[in-house]
Amino acid sequence: MAAVLGTAAISDQGVWGLGDPHLNVVPRTPQEAARIADVTALTDDFSKPQRFEDKPAGAATVRARKDADAFSQPSGNISFEDELTFKVGNGLFRKLWVSAPSSTLASDGLGPLFNARSCQRCHLKDGRGHPPENADDNAISIFLRVSIPGTADDAVADIQGYFGTLPDPTYGTQLQDFAVQGYSAEYSLGISYQEQPVELADGTIVSLRAPTYSAENLGYGPLHPAAMLSPRVAPQMIGLGLLEAIPAQDILAGADPDDLDGDGISGRPNVVMSAVYQQPMLGRFGLKAGAPTVLEQSAAAFAGDIGISSPLHPSGAGECTQAQTDCQAAIHGDGDDRVYEIDGEGLDLVAFYSRNLGVPARRGVDDPQVLQGKKVFYETGCTACHTPSFVTHRLEDQPEQSFQLIWPFTDLLLHDMGPGLADNRPEARASGSEWRTAPLWGIGLTQQVSGHTYFLHDGRARSILEAVLWHGGEAQTQRDAVVAMPTADRDALIAYLESL
């Protein structure tokens, strides 16, 4: 069992030693800890909403707008001065990068290989991406991650259970389907679907579309024979700073890797090496919880998605590999006064913006059908992974995220979701069938914000119900309970989820 990070292996057994070095924390008093345990305990009273349940982000909650900008508001408790910082970060998030050399030095450095020209192009309106609608649609908000199996020597020695993987020697860790003028894109995304009917207890037939993915029109030769591909749709952006401010120990308290309580749920933390703090940290962000902080997730996206260098990913060639010699030799946008294509200050501004995208208030919390759906959600056992509430750390320098009662409906842990959802590609400690529990806040506004209702890591589910029916593995019991539900209970469950 590890007692000191960085000097001993991390173990699933005993007490985890992971801390929160990214936060300036004011320690909780015993009295506060007792109050928090009481306020976050699961309820068994479904006759009325819980206190503050309508404010999923606490004081940071924002008004639920009725237009597509519902996910694009700053934290409800942000100061005037910090709202200005938020808007500057928004400008960088929306910025369209151009290829180098360019007269607009502050915006050049795109690619040479990329998936999108801006953060906003994937996270349109700060909402969810989607797979192509048809053969004529682009794949701008979905891409394929790629890696090949490594050996034990390729794992992080300080983190027990870490899967050793390597980039594809030609294509790296992510396939880019665009390139600047004069260069070849790496691939084009191919998707085919096979419909799989599921009959519910009331006779309703729900068709699930099972996808098959392919990397077509490869621009730099074949992939490695052992290449593992994983589709990823851009997730929604709301509430990230609040998820980052949940105490690591509160998340780890929900881990039960050996299912000692016998409920069939064995959530495990992903643990990754932080490039900023040079120590193992709890993974929180990304579909397999592969990034520890909003800043590190943002820097990785700049490098992989847009081909933009930063202090954390200094290569001006972005994600192109040494095998792609023309890409390496291209003119890049670094080397001027910025040093990197986005400097540390710019990266901090984008991270600040991402932390402070407000979570809209709940709708219809006292509606009788919604309350019945809440009862169904809890009694079916959905809360075993979709933990309703946490209280964030009390923070010295982040008032928007400090000491808030939040309702994200995630435990931020990894769960085996069965073969139906498996991508068969490990990431850090996450196996090929494990995924981080997705936060549910804002899920009912997806159509309004993003113009679609596609869910799961690759957007295969075309509705909330389809997403539920894809659950397997640790969630098989809950999925089967939904199949067997009376129509009224199932409708109430969906109404509850749409109210979040």
Side-chain angles (χ1 to χ4, degrees):
M1 180 180 69
V4 181
L5 286 173
T7 60
I10 302 298
S11 170
D12 269 341
Q13 307 301 320
V15 178
W16 285 72
L18 298 177
D20 295 308
H22 60 297
L23 301 171
N24 292 320
V25 175
V26 178
R28 290 175 176 171
T29 66
Q31 292 79 11
E32 285 177 338
R35 286 170 50 209
I36 289 166
D38 182 62
V39 78
T40 58
L42 293 179
T43 186
D44 58 3
D45 179 4
F46 305 103
S47 64
K48 61 184 182 298
Q50 289 170 262
R51 193 179 183 193
F52 307 122
E53 188 179 1
D54 60 328
K55 295 180 175 59
T61 303
V62 297
R63 175 176 60 88
R65 295 173 58 132
K66 297 183 179 180
D67 58 20
D69 291 324
F71 288 174
S72 300
Q73 304 173 76
S75 298
N77 55 351
I78 199 167
S79 68
F80 177 77
E81 292 78 12
D82 282 345
E83 186 171 354
L84 294 177
T85 304
F86 175 88
K87 290 178 177 177
V88 175
N90 185 21
L92 289 169
F93 191 83
R94 298 166 63 92
K95 175 195 281 194
L96 292 175
W97 294 85
V98 299
S99 58
S102 169
S103 59
T104 55
L105 293 179
S107 299
D108 72 355
L110 176 68
L113 307 174
F114 61 96
N115 295 106
R117 290 182 59 198
S118 74
C119 308
Q120 181 77 201
R121 285 288 179 93
C122 290
H123 303 278
L124 187 61
K125 294 292 185 180
D126 305 296
R128 299 175 189 271
H130 63 85
E133 295 278 6
N134 50 57
D136 297 324
D137 195 11
N138 64 46
I140 198 167
S141 56
I142 180 174
F143 62 81
L144 295 177
R145 290 211 182 280
V146 59
S147 57
I148 64 174
T151 68
D153 292 336
D154 300 309
V156 178
D158 287 342
I159 303 176
Q160 184 176 353
Y162 198 100
F163 289 94
T165 61
L166 294 169
D168 181 276
T170 302
Y171 290 93
T173 60
Q174 180 171 324
L175 294 176
Q176 285 87 18
D177 53 352
F178 292 99
V180 301
Q181 186 173 2
Y183 296 85
S184 298
E186 289 188 321
Y187 84 123
S188 57
L189 177 65
I191 310 177
S192 61
Y193 294 103
Q194 182 178 0
E195 296 290 337
Q196 298 180 349
V198 176
E199 184 174 0
L200 308 184
D202 62 2
T204 299
I205 302 295
V206 179
S207 186
L208 305 182
R209 56 177 187 175
T212 299
Y213 297 93
S214 58
E216 302 176 354
N217 303 313
L218 290 166
Y220 297 87
L223 288 159
H224 189 281
M228 303 174 288
L229 301 176
S230 178
R232 302 296 172 88
V233 162
Q236 66 184 29
M237 297 288 294
I238 58 173
L240 300 185
L242 294 164
L243 297 178
E244 187 179 54
I246 299 171
Q249 289 304 311
D250 288 2
I251 296 168
L252 295 170
D256 185 16
D258 300 315
D259 191 22
L260 297 179
D261 62 5
D263 67 352
I265 307 298
S266 50
R268 303 190 313 118
N270 206 350
V271 180
V272 297
M273 184 63 72
S274 167
V276 174
Y277 299 98
Q278 292 296 302
Q279 67 181 63
M281 289 181 64
L282 176 69
R284 301 172 189 247
F285 302 106
L287 293 162
K288 285 181 180 278
T293 65
V294 173
L295 180 72
E296 294 192 44
Q297 177 76 358
S298 300
F302 268 113
D305 300 353
I306 315 178
I308 297 298
S309 65
S310 71
L312 295 185
H313 295 271
S315 173
E319 225 266 317
C320 77
T321 67
Q322 293 300 316
Q324 295 165 328
T325 53
D326 287 347
C327 178
Q328 289 286 343
I331 298 174
H332 305 305
D334 54 359
D336 54 26
D337 290 343
R338 296 169 296 165
V339 181
Y340 308 102
E341 290 163 340
I342 186 167
D343 59 17
E345 182 181 7
L347 193 59
D348 286 341
L349 286 165
V350 171
F352 184 88
Y353 170 76
S354 301
R355 287 191 192 100
N356 281 288
L357 282 162
V359 181
R362 288 273 308 277
R363 290 85 49 215
V365 291
D366 56 354
D367 180 276
Q369 187 184 37
V370 168
L371 289 170
Q372 173 61 17
K374 179 181 177 181
K375 180 180 181 181
V376 172
F377 184 86
Y378 279 58
E379 293 183 348
T380 302
C382 303
T383 57
C385 299
H386 292 283
T387 303
S389 61
F390 289 94
V391 172
T392 60
H393 271 303
R394 193 183 295 278
L395 302 172
E396 292 182 348
D397 53 357
Q398 292 179 229
E400 299 87 3
Q401 289 83 42
S402 179
F403 209 58
Q404 301 298 323
L405 170 62
I406 63 172
W407 303 75
F409 293 90
T410 175
D411 59 7
L412 293 178
L413 297 173
L414 300 170
H415 295 275
D416 188 327
M417 298 301 291
L421 287 179
D423 67 349
N424 301 310
R425 177 186 176 273
E427 182 177 336
R429 297 183 77 246
S431 75
S433 59
E434 288 181 312
W435 299 94
R436 183 202 67 165
T437 304
L440 297 181
W441 50 13
I443 192 172
L445 296 174
T446 301
Q447 173 70 53
Q448 176 181 311
V449 170
S450 301
H452 64 76
T453 54
Y454 299 149
F455 301 107
L456 301 178
H457 67 278
D458 55 1
R460 70 178 67 185
R462 293 162 292 193
S463 67
I464 293 175
L465 179 57
E466 283 188 33
V468 172
L469 295 177
W470 271 110
H471 283 48
E474 295 176 39
Q476 186 70 42
T477 298
Q478 288 71 28
R479 178 263 185 200
D480 292 347
V482 173
V483 170
M485 276 179 189
T487 306
D489 281 354
R490 188 178 70 244
D491 290 347
L493 174 64
I494 299 302
Y496 172 64
L497 292 171
E498 289 179 341
S499 79
L500 298 180

